[in-house]
């Protein structure tokens, strides 16, 4: 199984999102139907979810959300809950994206609660982990990954392990145009797999890579045997590039 998840971030109004989803459906739907081993998901802003749902319903392209609140409902002005996203047909929810950690001050404890809430509503969390450039240069990459993984995943019920995805997203590669080198990705993924095993993950949990993935570099990245797929930001807004990335997901053999 391979995964291609598009993160549209704070781009697209509802009508723009519907137009983008329509183009993706036109080009990708027949191809994705022919390649059920590849899962394609797009994550528009909350305000565009209903419009995207309307366009993609009945197609093999799924949709998800970029975040959710850790509580089910209540006096949390401006927040959106997993319960609301579930009713909108979301199948995945990103949790712990570095832009949420950085700009919204989300810490590991809060991310752990969000992740459990997403699972509770039958959706798949995509737990994003990754080090900053300063942390990598100081030799703390593994320590950071281990802390993020342990804090979010320790004590997870056994049945939850096959309902989540991990995305290794080095912060220095996100939105910079400089993707991590395949060897750096392989090293981080091997480390993440080891921590997951240590935490009790019963089988291989899919680990994606994210950070400046585009149509040019995706094949090199997917050629790494540890990479189960990609989380794509900027390039997911470009129909031609995103379709190329999806094509690569079945053209590059899984190891
Ligand atoms: C992301 O938003 O998770 C991401 C990887 O962004 P970009 O592809 O633009 O680096």
């Amino acid at each position: 199984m391979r995964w291609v998840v598009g993160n549209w971030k704070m781009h697209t109004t509802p009508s723009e999102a519907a137009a983008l989803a329509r183009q993706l459906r036109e080009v990708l739907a027949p191809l994705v139907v022919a390649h059920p081993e590849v899962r394609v998901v797009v994550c528009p802003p909350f305000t565009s979810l209903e419009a995207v749902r309307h366009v993609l319903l009945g197609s093999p392209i799924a949709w998800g959300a970029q975040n959710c609140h850790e509580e089910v409902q209540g006096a949390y002005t401006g927040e959106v809950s997993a319960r609301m996203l579930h009713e909108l047909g979301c199948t995945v929810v990103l949790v712990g994206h570095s832009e949420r950690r950085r700009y919204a001050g989300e810490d590991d404890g809060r991310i752990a609660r969000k992740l459990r809430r997403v699972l509770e509503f039958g959706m798949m969390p995509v737990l994003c982990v990754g080090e900053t450039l300063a942390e990598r240069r100081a030799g703390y990459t593994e320590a950071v990954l281990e802390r993020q993984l342990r804090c979010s995943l320790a004590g997870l019920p056994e049945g939850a392990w096959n309902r989540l995805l991990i995305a290794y997203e080095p912060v220095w590669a996100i939105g910079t145009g400089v993707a991590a080198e395949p060897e750096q990705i392989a090293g981080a993924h091997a480390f993440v797999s080891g921590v997951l095993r240590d935490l009790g993950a019963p089988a291989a949990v899919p680990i994606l890579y994210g950070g400046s993935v585009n149509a040019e570099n995706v094949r090199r990245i997917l050629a790494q045997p540890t990479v189960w797929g990609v989380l794509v930001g900027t390039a997911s807004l470009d129909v031609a590039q995103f379709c190329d990335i999806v094509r690569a997901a079945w053209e590059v053999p899984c190891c």
Side-chain angles (χ1 to χ4, degrees):
M1 178 72 67
R2 276 264 169 82
W3 292 85
V4 180
V5 181
N7 174 13
W8 294 359
K9 309 199 187 202
M10 197 173 72
H11 295 288
T12 69
T13 64
S15 59
E16 290 164 352
L20 181 54
R22 230 173 274 120
Q23 292 179 67
L24 290 177
R25 183 175 179 153
E26 248 175 61
V27 183
L28 281 181
L31 303 175
V32 180
V33 165
H35 293 275
E37 72 278 18
V38 176
R39 294 271 161 92
V40 181
V41 187
V42 293
C43 300
F46 291 137
T47 46
S48 294
L49 275 169
E50 175 58 23
V52 167
R53 185 183 81 92
H54 189 71
V55 173
L56 296 182
L57 204 63
S59 87
I61 305 171
W63 57 95
Q66 300 171 19
N67 177 39
C68 74
H69 195 266
E70 60 272 30
E71 297 299 336
V72 176
Q73 59 187 7
Y76 300 101
T77 303
E79 295 290 350
V80 170
S81 74
R83 181 167 168 261
M84 298 167 185
L85 298 174
H86 177 249
E87 192 171 313
L88 282 169
C90 289
T91 52
V92 311
V93 181
L94 308 185
V95 294
H97 192 282
S98 67
E99 286 155 13
R100 300 289 317 163
R101 293 179 192 259
R102 182 170 174 198
Y103 302 125
E106 290 188 9
D107 60 19
D108 290 317
R110 197 161 172 214
I111 291 162
R113 293 198 296 281
K114 287 177 186 231
L115 184 137
R116 281 158 179 75
R117 199 62 83 186
V118 172
L119 286 167
E120 181 187 325
F121 280 90
M123 299 176 289
M124 255 185 142
V126 182
L127 174 64
C128 303
V129 295
E131 79 288 358
T132 63
L133 189 56
E135 288 162 344
R136 174 165 279 267
R137 285 188 173 147
Y140 295 148
T141 298
E142 293 188 350
V144 170
L145 293 177
E146 181 155 13
R147 191 204 71 228
Q148 293 174 337
L149 291 165
R150 284 193 185 278
C151 289
S152 300
L153 300 172
L156 212 59
E158 208 182 308
W161 285 106
N162 59 3
R163 295 197 289 120
L164 71 95
L165 303 172
I166 308 290
Y168 168 58
E169 295 210 302
V171 180
W172 47 271
I174 297 179
T176 59
V178 182
E181 290 301 323
E183 307 75 50
Q184 291 173 313
I185 299 171
H189 277 213
F191 180 76
V192 168
S193 293
V195 176
L196 296 178
R197 270 197 306 277
D198 201 47
L199 282 167
V205 174
I207 309 172
L208 317 185
Y209 166 77
S212 296
V213 173
N214 56 39
E216 265 182 32
N217 61 24
V218 67
R219 285 176 169 75
R220 271 190 304 135
I221 291 168
L222 287 173
Q224 290 301 310
T226 55
V227 177
W228 287 63
V230 284
L231 175 50
V232 187
T234 314
S236 69
L237 294 162
D238 177 326
V239 175
Q241 265 207 81
F242 192 66
C243 293
D244 266 4
I245 290 169
V246 172
R247 256 180 230 112
W250 63 74
E251 284 172 5
V252 178
C254 283
C255 299

